[in-house]
Amino acid sequence: MEIKQEDQLIRWLKIVGKTTKYFFIALIVLAALFALFILYLRSQPLPETTINETTTIYGTDHSVIATLYKGENRVFLPLSQIPKYVQQASVAIEDRKFYEHPGFDIKRIAGAALTDLRHMNKREGASTITMQLARNLYLSLDKTWTRKFKEAILTIQLELNYTKPQLLEMYLNQIYYGHAAYGIQAAAKTYFGKNASELTLAEASMLAGLPKGPRFYSPFRDMKAAKSRQRIVLQAMVSEGYITQQQADAALAEPLKLASPESIKGQTIAPYFRDYVVKQAKEKYGIDEELIEHGGLKIYTTLDPVMQQKAESAVHKYLPKDRPLQAALVAIEPQTGYIRAMVGGRDYKESQFNRALARRQPGSSMKPALYMAALENGFTPLTKIKSEPTVFTFGNDETYIPRNFGEQYAHDYITMGEAIARSDNIYAVQTHLAIGPDKMVTMAKRLGIDSPLKPLPSLALGSYPVTPLEMTRMFATIANQGQKIEPLAIVKILDREGKLLVEAHPQVQQVVSRENAFILTHMLEKIFAPGGTAHRVSPLLHRPVAGKTGTTDYDAWLGGFTPQLAASVWVGYDDNRRIDNFADGRQAVPIWADFMEQALTGKPAAVFPVPPGVVPAYIDTASGKLAGKDSRNPELMYFIPGTEPKEYYEAPKQEKYEEPKKEKSFWDKLKFWN
């Protein structure tokens, strides 16, 4: 009996030995398979993913004028620029074992699994930071076993490919904080109006509590719930030893200054200019639209936010409130071509159509191109043409009958300077035909007008449509002493890593002589003098200005400049209805004057520089000769040497008056008789 028991014991020991052997072999095989699986996952690239980032557009002072994003407002920040409080608060509340586990917190997962089994549904979450990152980067938010399996695989891959700091950096830039804010930088701007690097402990703990339920814990919606969540975050930080209880209590008691609710709606300065910048980035510089909208670009522009505000204010001030009269304004710095302000309409919310880029008839505001061509073709400021109703015949006996505004004619010979001041149409058409209509077409293009023009008599009166941007460029060329510069809206574009994609520099071209540019400028100053078409706004202006008004049945313009700034204003209706010259048609002039004076506030008044190639002369305006001692109202004019008058004015000599001799009386004769 005892022998049998010994045999059974031996057999049992042999079975145990074999089982143990197979068990260890199985363990080794499983370990090898797991190692191979890990190596396989390590060798496999992670799925492609695109982290959408907000593109930021900056003004000339580096202030933000607009942000571009579709759905996800995100600005990527390296971990070094994210405060420790933000990092610690997020780890403490979301994944306290983050730095210790390999991507999974087994204890939390086991507890969550038991809860799910107890309730027979997937209600408990135990996601680590890495698991959340995998889900947000690659997967949907569906609570299915298939999604969870994929999430586990991707979590392992993330842990294999990135360090813990890299994972935390990705998480803090990816996670959703509510109100379209993705990532900690957008969250800091949205809720507190500051950069993430400036967040306090109180603010950091408030934001760290949002990802669990942005809608429930948003301080904009429910401050009580937000404070309750903040308390939980702070206590978690205390438990992990990141802060003391005293620090937590102080942070909880600290008043939070939230950004205004309006600021989270993405306020934009100069929306018409923003659209123009995006168009330029795509069409001129070849930047892909997807990269512009989601690539986290930094676009530095030429816009002056202060000038832009003055431009919008001037437009709103003078446009009537009871009818849909529209306006456009463009301002350019002549020396650089930088677009400093752009208004494309009275209200961007009502209409996104940018009228600064729309073609309308410029009327007489196009005449500077004509008179610049005339100066190059033998005309001087003293060239005289008779102003009277005239019928012009051209081509195949075609006739053209221009008229002056209000049928006002001098019925006498007037000079070019007088024609500019009065905006005399007869003088303009006579000049146009005298030098050859093609000369004005060529000159307009040289000065910056790219719209198609035809050499017809009516071109002298601005019959072919152009854009306010082109008109401003023309006036800027004259202001810049005949040097044309391409209008620039973008200075440079950087990608999210700071790599330079675009850098623009002013391209200068001398298109007319400095002398003729100055001579024309001096005559264009006359429109603001007594008798000029813009004299009524001269009290608003306290610096030298030059310009030209223009009015058609449907459009009203004023374009002009100082040495520092050129601007054009258009006023009219989108539906091309006629404008009332004594109401709507008069609004372009005060808008321009108000803007120019306000835009240059704080800058010293500058005179137009006189080039060395011109000679000044005081002229007797009645005779066109050099002013003499008998001239009553001499006027200073400038000429190309050799074209100035040579003779001085002298008043016509009058015969001396002699008293008629009286016949001496008898007594006179007697008195002197001897």
Side-chain angles (χ1 to χ4, degrees):
M1 189 71 179
E2 292 179 1
I3 295 174
K4 287 184 178 181
Q5 288 180 345
E6 288 178 3
D7 290 342
Q8 288 178 348
L9 178 62
I10 292 171
R11 284 198 300 271
W12 184 82
L13 289 173
K14 287 180 179 181
I15 293 172
V16 171
K18 287 181 180 181
T19 303
T20 304
K21 177 182 177 181
Y22 292 141
F23 177 75
F24 280 109
I25 291 173
L27 283 179
I28 293 171
V29 171
L30 287 173
L33 290 174
F34 183 74
L36 289 173
F37 179 66
I38 295 298
L39 289 173
Y40 171 77
L41 291 180
R42 182 68 178 84
S43 67
Q44 295 301 301
L46 283 159
E48 287 189 10
T49 185
T50 300
I51 298 180
N52 294 334
E53 290 187 49
T54 299
T55 287
T56 306
I57 301 177
Y58 300 92
T60 188
D61 59 355
H62 288 191
S63 63
V64 176
I65 63 174
T67 53
L68 306 176
Y69 62 90
K70 286 191 175 179
E72 297 184 11
N73 176 21
R74 178 188 289 108
V75 177
F76 189 89
L77 278 186
L79 196 64
S80 60
Q81 295 181 25
I82 301 176
K84 284 292 183 183
Y85 283 142
V86 172
Q87 300 178 41
Q88 294 168 346
S90 299
V91 170
I93 195 62
E94 293 292 338
D95 185 4
R96 63 189 184 88
K97 300 294 184 181
F98 171 69
Y99 292 105
E100 303 168 15
H101 62 63
F104 306 96
D105 188 333
I106 303 301
K107 185 176 180 180
R108 286 180 64 193
I109 291 174
L114 288 174
T115 302
D116 289 348
L117 289 171
R118 186 180 305 118
H119 296 278
M120 296 305 292
N121 61 31
K122 303 167 201 54
R123 64 165 55 186
E124 186 71 16
S127 296
T128 63
I129 282 177
T130 313
M131 292 168 70
Q132 291 183 54
L133 185 59
R135 183 166 60 248
N136 280 278
L137 285 175
Y138 309 113
L139 303 171
S140 68
L141 298 180
D142 297 335
K143 290 188 175 183
T144 63
W145 291 111
T146 300
R147 195 270 294 163
K148 286 197 171 187
F149 175 75
K150 291 179 179 178
E151 180 183 299
I153 299 298
L154 291 168
T155 297
I156 295 171
Q157 285 187 276
L158 285 171
E159 288 281 347
L160 290 172
N161 283 276
Y162 297 101
T163 65
K164 289 293 186 178
Q166 288 174 324
L167 291 171
L168 183 59
E169 178 184 84
M170 294 167 66
Y171 172 82
L172 291 174
N173 281 288
Q174 176 68 26
I175 205 69
Y176 181 53
Y177 288 88
H179 298 287
Y182 289 78
I184 191 63
Q185 173 66 10
K189 283 287 188 180
T190 297
Y191 290 99
F192 299 110
K194 60 172 61 175
N195 292 318
S197 59
E198 303 169 321
L199 291 171
T200 65
L201 172 59
E203 294 164 341
S205 58
M206 174 70 74
L207 295 181
L210 293 177
K212 182 177 178 63
R215 293 189 59 181
F216 302 109
Y217 300 120
S218 167
F220 290 136
R221 292 194 175 104
D222 190 339
M223 179 56 79
K224 183 177 179 181
K227 292 295 291 183
S228 176
R229 180 67 176 164
Q230 181 194 28
R231 181 184 293 105
I232 294 172
V233 173
L234 288 169
Q235 287 306 128
M237 294 180 73
V238 172
S239 298
E240 295 303 311
Y242 291 133
I243 59 174
T244 65
Q245 187 62 52
Q246 289 77 12
Q247 288 175 301
D249 294 340
L252 187 63
E254 180 182 317
L256 293 175
K257 185 178 180 181
L258 297 176
S260 63
E262 289 77 15
S263 66
I264 71 173
K265 298 177 182 178
Q267 295 293 314
T268 298
I269 299 171
Y272 294 103
F273 179 77
R274 174 204 59 199
D275 291 353
Y276 178 69
V277 165
V278 172
K279 182 180 179 182
Q280 288 280 292
K282 289 189 291 188
E283 298 180 1
K284 184 175 181 179
Y285 299 113
I287 306 297
D288 183 73
E289 184 173 0
E290 185 71 18
L291 185 60
I292 294 173
E293 293 180 347
H294 302 299
L297 302 181
K298 292 179 173 58
I299 303 178
Y300 294 89
T301 74
T302 61
L303 189 88
D304 184 324
V306 175
M307 281 195 188
Q308 178 66 27
Q309 187 275 325
K310 300 293 178 58
E312 293 177 1
S313 176
V315 168
H316 294 153
K317 180 178 179 180
Y318 289 97
L319 285 185
K321 305 297 188 292
D322 60 345
R323 51 194 184 277
L325 187 68
Q326 288 287 354
L329 185 155
V330 180
I332 292 177
E333 187 175 82
Q335 293 75 26
T336 61
Y338 288 174
I339 298 173
R340 295 306 194 189
M342 177 182 285
V343 178
R346 64 188 298 155
D347 191 337
Y348 184 83
K349 293 178 182 178
E350 292 182 0
S351 171
Q352 290 77 55
F353 177 62
N354 191 349
R355 296 154 190 85
L357 309 177
R359 290 174 176 164
R360 301 291 293 238
Q361 288 184 337
S364 293
S365 61
M366 179 60 84
K367 288 178 181 176
L370 168 66
Y371 293 125
M372 184 70 81
L375 290 173
E376 285 192 350
N377 287 273
F379 277 59
T380 77
L382 286 177
T383 300
K384 289 191 174 184
I385 294 175
K386 193 170 186 178
S387 170
E388 62 181 358
T390 306
V391 177
F392 294 91
T393 303
F394 65 99
N396 298 322
D397 294 328
E398 295 181 68
T399 58
Y400 179 56
I401 309 175
R403 290 182 170 83
N404 283 348
F405 177 73
E407 298 292 335
Q408 297 179 359
Y409 303 91
H411 294 284
D412 198 354
Y413 287 90
I414 61 174
T415 66
M416 184 189 293
E418 292 171 322
I420 289 174
R422 301 175 183 179
S423 199
D424 192 282
N425 290 335
I426 306 303
Y427 190 105
V429 176
Q430 288 275 28
T431 302
H432 185 45
L433 297 178
I435 66 174
D438 59 312
K439 297 290 196 308
M440 181 179 176
V441 173
T442 302
M443 179 56 69
K445 292 188 178 299
R446 284 166 60 187
L447 293 175
I449 303 296
D450 295 324
S451 293
L453 306 174
K454 291 184 179 180
L456 297 177
S458 61
L459 178 62
L461 309 185
S463 60
Y464 282 87
V466 296
T467 71
L469 178 58
E470 290 176 297
M471 291 295 287
T472 309
R473 186 186 186 190
M474 179 182 76
F475 285 107
T477 300
I478 301 170
N480 197 31
Q481 303 178 74
Q483 296 183 97
K484 181 172 67 174
I485 300 181
E486 183 74 18
L488 288 177
I490 296 173
V491 177
K492 63 181 177 180
I493 301 177
L494 306 179
D495 68 9
R496 56 166 289 187
E497 282 82 26
K499 179 183 176 182
L500 185 66
L501 301 181
V502 170
E503 187 170 26
H505 299 283
Q507 301 295 319
V508 183
Q509 181 184 7
Q510 191 80 44
V511 294
V512 295
S513 71
R514 297 175 183 271
E515 293 77 15
N516 281 336
F518 174 76
I519 291 170
L520 180 59
T521 295
H522 187 70
M523 289 188 286
L524 292 173
E525 290 184 82
K526 297 178 185 293
I527 76 160
F528 298 99
T533 55
H535 173 62
R536 62 192 176 91
V537 295
S538 58
L540 300 177
L541 300 165
H542 301 90
R543 60 185 67 239
V545 291
K548 187 69 191 74
T549 56
T551 305
T552 73
D553 289 339
Y554 311 99
D555 308 274
W557 295 75
L558 175 55
F561 53 92
T562 71
Q564 306 108 314
L565 191 66
S568 291
V569 172
W570 165 85
V571 168
Y573 288 97
D574 287 340
D575 58 3
N576 279 322
R577 75 178 73 172
R578 296 175 68 92
I579 58 174
D580 182 344
N581 284 318
F582 293 99
D584 298 342
R586 295 169 61 87
Q587 299 310 312
V589 176
I591 290 174
W592 186 92
D594 188 290
F595 166 71
M596 290 295 283
E597 187 65 21
Q598 295 301 320
L600 296 172
T601 298
K603 297 185 179 181
V607 297
F608 296 108
V610 183
V614 298
V615 293
Y618 280 94
I619 303 300
D620 180 88
T621 54
S623 66
K625 298 180 180 180
L626 295 173
K629 60 181 180 179
D630 296 324
S631 298
R632 293 187 177 182
N633 296 302
E635 182 179 332
L636 178 64
M637 295 185 183
Y638 292 88
F639 302 88
I640 301 296
T643 65
E644 74 277 16
K646 303 297 189 238
E647 298 181 7
Y648 284 88
Y649 169 77
E650 291 184 7
K653 293 183 178 180
Q654 297 180 356
E655 294 184 4
K656 292 184 178 180
Y657 176 78
E658 294 184 1
E659 292 282 343
K661 293 183 178 181
K662 294 181 180 180
E663 185 67 27
K664 291 184 179 181
S665 67
F666 172 79
W667 296 106
D668 287 332
K669 293 179 180 179
L670 183 63
K671 179 178 179 180
F672 294 101
W673 182 75
N674 50 35

